[in-house]
Structure formats: C-alpha cells, structure tokens
Amino acid sequence: MSGSDQLSAVFSALADPTRRAILAELADRDATVTELTAPLPISMPAVSRHLKALERAGLISRTRSGKLRMSRIEAAPLREAAEWIERYRRFWDTSLTRLDAHLAAVQAAGRPTDRTAHGPAFPDRESPSKAHDKEN
Amino acid sequence: MSGSDQLSAVFSALADPTRRAILAELADRDATVTELTAPLPISMPAVSRHLKALERAGLISRTRSGKLRMSRIEAAPLREAAEWIERYRRFWDTSLTRLDAHLAAVQAAGRPTDRTAHGPAFPDRESPSKAHDKEN
DNA sequence: ACTACATTTAACGTGTTGGTTAAGTGACTG
DNA sequence: CAGTCACTTAACCAACACGTTAAATGTAGT
C-alpha cells in the first residue's frame, strides 16, 4: 500500500472486492463479524482482518455489545475519495463536451497536444514526497 | 491485489500516491515517461511500472511517437469508480438528512438497528465469488 | 469455576508490490 | 553502422496482503 495517507488507505480498502461486499452489507444494516462472514467464502479471521483494514481507513466503526461486536459504516472518508475522483469528471462527462471544446482551443494555442477536447482546470498537484516542480 | 476485476484494478491503481500524482500530471497535459519521472523521487523503471499499472486499470493509454512514448489520461474507468462510491453518498451528504430521517423511520419499523438516519436503497450486492444469500 | 460463544491474535505459506540497478530493445542521428 | 536517447525488462530484495488453522481472549450463562 505504498501510501499511508487517508486517501491511499481508503482507495486501498476499496480495492478489495470482499471489502466492498462488506461495505455493501453494512450499508444495509449494522452487522456482527459472524453475520458478515456467513455469506463470504472465507474464514472468520480473514473477515476480521478485512474489518480491521476498513476501520483503519475510517470506513467503519465498531462497538462492543456484550460478546457481539457490531460494525457500522462510516462513509465520511468516501466523500474525500469521491471529491478526488470528481476532479476528473471532465474527462468522462459528455455534458462537459461544449466546455471542453472551448478550453481545448485555448490550450491548443499553447501546445500541439490536441485531442479535440481537454479541460484546463487541472486537479490538485499531489506531490508524493518530492515536490512537483514542473515548468523548470 | 486480491480482485482482478475492473473496479478493483482502478481502486488499486488509485491507492498509490505516486500514481495519483501521475494522473494529476496527465490531467494537465500528455507526457513522456521522462517528463513524468522528472518531478518524482523514484527511478524511471519504477515510473514505467506505475504507468503499466495505470494502463492495466484503463486509466491511461499510450502511443509511440518516434522514440518518445506519450501517456494520455483515459478517465472512463473513473466513472465506474465514482458511480460505485456515489451509492454511498447518503452516508455523508447532509442534504439527504431529511430523506434519511424519513427512511430511517421506515427501516426502524423492521429492525432496531436505529442510528437516527440510514437510507433504504442499499447498494449493489457485489458478491465476491460466493453468493450473498443473507436472510436465511 | 466450567463451558460455550464470538472474535481476535499468532504463526505460517505464498503471491504481489514497489523500489533498486543492470542489461536489453527500438528508433533516431551523425 | 556506431552511438545515443528513451524507454522496458530482468533479477533481486524487503515489506505487505490475504488466506489458512490453531491458540488466546473476553463475555455470558449454569
């Protein structure tokens, strides 16, 4: 998992189909480890560790109720993830075609990259450790 | 990477900050491997393999122009990812509070899970290999 | 206290990831 | 055709992910 930041932990958690299935289950209702394990093709310890990963990513919280341990979805971190991806919407959203065309023209003046469409509002520069000092 | 499906590949690709930085760079402009490597604290082979991962996830495409190899963002798969996450919006979007409250009441009738809010439209059951046959 | 149940932790095997350096490949350039 | 530039591939390593089974922990009931 290279990056240990929040966003990396979230995307990393979502990268596993079992964990996505667990989240889907928890979106429906809070559940115990046993309940979550039942429909899955893996052992309970395995599920337990998936839950730990989800918890580490902040995607679930857990409370002890007697000898049961309930998991509850905490989707706040998904907001960050959604916002990150949202910055790239212009690359797939056709409703932005008109805008794209205009901005492509603007950008084309600067360089001959040309793809008939391409926005200008570039996403955040998220430098991984070393600074992004392009344009040098 | 446990899951080898499209969504898993995409989330897995996004889980690495270096790859997110590369995508941010490519959102701005198409670039060669050398250009992408410049601002990063890692070797060119390492970048080359990050690009391979991004390509495998369908997030970039590459074309050879003479001895240069241009990478271009192909954000279509991000749409899927965004849509997947979008299904959980009700868990963080406060503008859905009113709706949540109502639906929580509806749901509360069925079970005593109760969290003052919780939607009913549960996300897709994405069964990881074994079927999700809850309610048994 | 003894037992049962729910869950976690430990120990282990195995595959993958992400980085490195060194060697290969393909396309242009003198 | 030799050299150089722009990469990619190979070989290697350390760390981690994900699964297993077996043992430990914590809570409840008898």
Side-chain angles (χ1 to χ4, degrees):
Chain A
M1 190 212 289
S2 179
S4 56
D5 52 298
Q6 180 71 17
L7 208 43
S8 296
V10 171
F11 281 134
S12 188
L14 298 185
D16 187 298
T18 299
R19 285 192 290 264
R20 290 200 302 276
I22 289 174
L23 279 182
E25 198 71 27
L26 292 177
D28 197 9
R29 54 149 104 94
D30 297 355
T32 66
V33 181
T34 303
E35 286 170 344
L36 290 170
T37 301
L40 296 171
I42 59 178
S43 67
M44 189 177 298
V47 172
S48 182
R49 295 203 330 194
H50 279 304
L51 291 174
K52 200 188 245 175
L54 288 168
E55 194 172 25
R56 187 165 49 88
L59 291 170
I60 66 169
S61 64
R62 305 164 86 185
T63 58
R64 156 171 269 134
S65 293
K67 61 179 165 185
L68 271 35
R69 200 168 266 262
M70 298 298 279
S71 294
R72 156 172 299 179
I73 194 168
E74 293 295 347
L78 283 183
R79 179 181 190 161
E80 270 181 82
E83 283 169 358
W84 188 91
I85 292 180
E86 215 44 51
R87 295 208 282 273
Y88 295 86
R89 172 174 287 281
R90 63 196 163 94
F91 289 110
W92 78 74
D93 197 337
T94 50
S95 78
L96 291 178
T97 307
R98 203 179 307 273
L99 180 61
D100 269 357
H102 170 251
L103 299 171
V106 174
Q107 180 175 322
R111 226 165 343 83
T113 306
D114 188 23
R115 202 229 276 227
T116 307
H118 239 187
F122 41 81
D124 250 17
R125 262 61 210 315
E126 178 189 6
S127 109
S129 177
K130 186 179 174 183
H132 261 199
D133 37 67
K134 262 305 170 51
E135 255 69 61
N136 56 352
Chain B
M1 187 210 293
S2 179
S4 55
D5 53 297
Q6 179 71 17
L7 208 44
S8 295
V10 171
F11 281 134
S12 187
L14 298 184
D16 187 297
T18 299
R19 286 192 290 264
R20 290 200 303 275
I22 289 174
L23 278 182
E25 198 72 26
L26 292 176
D28 197 8
R29 54 150 102 95
D30 296 355
T32 65
V33 181
T34 302
E35 286 171 346
L36 290 171
T37 301
L40 296 172
I42 59 178
S43 66
M44 188 177 298
V47 172
S48 183
R49 294 200 331 191
H50 278 304
L51 291 173
K52 200 188 246 175
L54 287 167
E55 194 172 26
R56 186 165 49 88
L59 290 169
I60 66 169
S61 65
R62 307 165 85 186
T63 58
R64 156 170 268 131
S65 292
K67 62 180 165 183
L68 270 33
R69 201 168 266 263
M70 297 298 279
S71 294
R72 157 170 301 180
I73 194 169
E74 294 295 346
L78 283 182
R79 180 179 191 165
E80 270 181 82
E83 283 170 356
W84 188 92
I85 292 179
E86 215 42 54
R87 296 209 280 276
Y88 295 86
R89 172 175 286 282
R90 64 196 162 93
F91 288 111
W92 77 75
D93 197 336
T94 51
S95 78
L96 291 180
T97 308
R98 204 179 306 275
L99 181 60
D100 269 357
H102 169 251
L103 298 171
V106 173
Q107 180 175 322
R111 226 165 343 84
T113 306
D114 190 21
R115 202 228 277 227
T116 307
H118 237 186
F122 39 84
D124 250 18
R125 263 61 209 316
E126 180 190 2
S127 106
S129 158
K130 186 179 174 185
H132 260 200
D133 37 65
K134 258 309 167 52
E135 255 69 59
N136 58 348

